[in-house]
Amino acid sequence: MEKIYDVIICGAGPGGSIAAICLKRKGLSVLLIDSKDFPRDKVCGDQITPLGVQLLKELKLVDSELLKSTNEIDKVLIKGPEKAQANFQFDFLKNQSKIYIIPRLILDNHLVKNAEKSGVERHTSHIYEMEYSEDHVSIKSRTGNSTFEFKSKIVIGADGSSSTIARLSKLVPGKDRGIAIRGYIKGINLKADTLEGYFDKKWSPGYAWFFPLSKDSGNIGLGMTLKHYKKSNYKLRQLLDVFIEQPFIKSRLTSDYKVENIGTWPLNIGPPKWNQLVEDRVILVGDAASLINPFTGGGIETAIISGKLAADVIADKIKTNNFTKASLSEYARKLKKILSKEQTLSLYASKFVGLSPWIVEKLVKIGEKSDLPFIFMKYVYKGIRIKRI
Ligand SMILES: Cc1cc2nc3c(=O)[nH]c(=O)nc-3n(C[C@H](O)[C@H](O)[C@H](O)COP(=O)(O)OP(=O)(O)OC[C@H]3O[C@@H](n4cnc5c(N)ncnc54)[C@H](O)[C@@H]3O)c2cc1C
């Protein structure tokens, strides 16, 4: 008889791998499918918030090997669209983890290897079809000319911002989209412990960044809302060049500086429609569930939170074999309780600063003398929700 897995997970980014690890540790049979083989890159800023790091530590997924590729951050420099420039420090992080910058090439591979180590089965193929039967779901996938069929009691859609599982389940969680470009820069004078964020009317609402990996290399990028990008006269690649060409950046570059591995990717910005996260035998996590923070553009932390929560709920539902939409809605309810306050406040905060570059300039100007304008950012990074997870 053909095997029916307890869970098939489509997508082995942080959301999918964390769900796989947590499910396997609870004794379930798990198949993790990704179109790409690992290690693979994912266009990202590579920044993991202190809460994200803390969750990885609690799951015993931070080891000395991973730390070798990690740069720790506790300071931020923000430059307004005109002249204002402010610095602040995450002083509350004394007993907490700092922000980690880990290239996704390394982080995602590390999580996938941990999933395999814990007994998760893995398959490299692209999922294109899903069929419901009375007691299972059939997943069809392909690589080249080969096609495959796998069965499971439930499917987790962890397949990112253009989720096939969401589309096949007719779930539409997202309201807003963003778009961003990322590269890796070598040959620049950076402070290794400081994130840098740059505002400008050409990429408003949004920001450009350096997220350092060392004092002369790091992740460089720029992101904005898709709605505004469509109205812009520039392509993302041109905007990145405009950013680098500014005199206050250019003066920090060596003559042989390089920007490599440039890529663009969409962002599914939260808060999602909370009633669009589950269907019969289907749960969406991470970007597939549209959980990117609208203020920071970060989604690794929420992918980890939702992956872990999906695993907890599924491990519970497996006891009663009840995978109806009504039963799985418990996941959406719990996730909403954890995330909705922060996501909604972040949305309002992003809309406020996005009203005009002038507002950003004024806030940064105040920030030159006081941390007051950065309180909300500190709130988001502080991980106030940790007690409720
Ligand atoms: C430029 C940029 C910068 C960003 N910077 C940050 C940052 O600094 N910090 C942060 O926290 N977040 C950042 N984000 C957001 C972050 O990248 C995502 O929120 C995060 O990757 C979500 O993880 P995930 O596991 O949900 O999905 P993903 O990491 O996107 O993983 C999805 C996986 O599914 C696989 N897949 C897709 N479709 C299929 C299919 N049909 N069949 C099989 N496999 C499939 C893909 O190959 C992929 O491996 C950034 C995003 C962008 C675009």
Side-chain angles (χ1 to χ4, degrees):
M1 210 176 71
E2 219 178 329
K3 177 166 183 172
I4 300 185
Y5 290 92
D6 289 324
V7 190
I8 290 178
I9 301 172
C10 176
S17 287
I18 294 291
I21 291 166
C22 295
L23 285 162
K24 195 67 213 177
R25 287 180 184 173
K26 287 171 190 284
L28 278 71
S29 59
V30 185
L31 177 65
L32 181 59
I33 304 180
D34 200 293
S35 342
K36 305 259 174 66
D37 201 4
F38 285 71
R40 65 101 181 86
D41 185 23
K42 150 78 177 81
V43 174
C44 185
D46 303 331
Q47 181 197 148
I48 316 179
T49 56
L51 175 57
V53 173
Q54 197 159 327
L55 290 170
L56 290 177
K57 284 183 179 169
E58 281 168 21
L59 291 167
K60 309 227 173 317
L61 292 168
V62 176
D63 60 18
S64 53
E65 198 51 38
L66 186 70
L67 287 172
K68 276 187 206 158
S69 311
T70 301
N71 184 35
E72 295 190 35
I73 303 271
D74 64 357
K75 297 185 187 67
V76 179
L77 175 151
I78 297 200
K79 185 171 174 325
E82 300 292 333
K83 288 190 175 134
Q85 185 167 312
N87 291 276
F88 69 92
Q89 178 154 10
F90 288 108
D91 46 345
F92 55 81
L93 292 174
K94 289 209 171 82
N95 300 319
Q96 265 186 311
S97 298
K98 294 187 177 181
I99 294 161
Y100 280 13
I101 312 292
I102 312 175
R104 291 288 297 274
L105 185 76
I106 291 163
L107 175 73
D108 291 20
N109 190 48
H110 169 80
L111 296 178
V112 162
K113 294 294 162 228
N114 270 278
E116 281 180 327
K117 229 189 282 169
S118 62
V120 169
E121 289 178 46
R122 200 161 70 79
H123 196 260
T124 303
S125 53
H126 183 80
I127 292 175
Y128 65 93
E129 203 168 292
M130 197 172 75
E131 276 165 18
Y132 289 92
S133 303
E134 205 178 309
D135 64 342
H136 68 265
V137 187
S138 293
I139 288 287
K140 289 188 182 155
S141 67
R142 65 165 83 89
T143 347
N145 294 328
S146 311
T147 56
F148 309 91
E149 185 166 347
F150 302 101
K151 294 178 177 166
S152 65
K153 295 177 188 164
I154 180 161
V155 173
I156 297 181
D159 45 350
S161 52
S162 304
S163 169
T164 303
I165 298 299
R167 180 173 51 77
L168 295 172
S169 324
K170 303 198 171 30
L171 289 170
V172 188
K175 295 180 229 165
D176 291 323
R177 271 199 147 193
I179 182 88
I181 184 164
R182 180 239 48 196
Y184 287 100
I185 186 159
K186 282 184 194 147
I188 177 166
N189 183 12
L190 295 169
K191 284 193 177 136
D193 62 356
T194 306
L195 301 177
E196 299 183 22
Y198 292 83
F199 293 84
D200 191 290
K201 44 182 181 301
K202 290 188 202 65
W203 50 84
S204 174
Y207 65 96
W209 68 79
F210 290 118
F211 297 160
L213 286 161
S214 70
K215 60 183 177 30
D216 56 11
S217 69
N219 187 306
I220 176 177
L222 184 153
M224 61 195 294
T225 61
L226 190 59
K227 194 170 94 187
H228 289 86
Y229 176 62
K230 281 182 178 163
K231 289 184 204 150
S232 150
N233 297 323
Y234 296 92
K235 297 277 166 236
L236 276 175
R237 183 60 229 248
Q238 288 171 310
L239 287 174
L240 195 69
D241 288 341
V242 169
F243 171 51
I244 295 171
E245 288 296 317
Q246 293 174 105
F248 53 86
I249 301 290
K250 227 177 163 183
S251 61
R252 294 163 62 191
L253 302 174
T254 59
S255 57
D256 59 349
Y257 88 93
K258 274 192 208 119
V259 182
E260 294 170 321
N261 295 331
I262 295 173
T264 58
W265 205 264
L267 293 96
N268 286 1
I269 292 170
K273 294 178 203 145
W274 299 102
N275 64 357
Q276 290 288 303
L277 304 189
V278 300
E279 220 353 300
D280 290 348
R281 296 189 185 275
V282 172
I283 286 188
L284 302 180
V285 304
D287 280 12
S290 228
L291 296 178
I292 290 189
N293 182 293
F295 188 70
T296 63
I300 298 175
E301 175 197 291
T302 47
I304 296 171
I305 291 172
S306 55
K308 182 178 181 303
L309 182 66
D312 289 346
V313 171
I314 291 170
D316 191 41
K317 301 296 171 194
I318 211 111
K319 293 178 201 151
T320 52
N321 209 14
N322 186 352
F323 303 113
T324 60
K325 179 171 180 153
S327 168
L328 296 177
S329 292
E330 186 184 326
Y331 160 76
R333 269 197 308 279
K334 287 186 167 165
L335 193 65
K336 183 177 177 188
K337 207 165 163 206
I338 296 165
L339 294 179
S340 93
K341 187 172 148 200
E342 184 190 288
Q343 290 243 329
T344 306
L345 284 172
S346 295
L347 181 69
Y348 290 135
S350 70
K351 285 200 186 299
F352 176 64
V353 296
L355 278 176
S356 110
W358 180 84
I359 291 178
V360 182
E361 181 69 11
K362 288 290 161 213
L363 287 172
V364 182
K365 187 87 197 145
I366 299 168
E368 287 177 348
K369 295 201 176 92
S370 143
D371 274 6
L372 204 68
F374 307 122
I375 283 178
F376 181 69
M377 197 165 165
K378 289 189 174 190
Y379 162 84
V380 172
Y381 276 77
K382 195 166 178 176
I384 258 163
R385 295 138 295 143
I386 199 146
K387 290 194 188 72
R388 284 187 272 140
I389 294 169

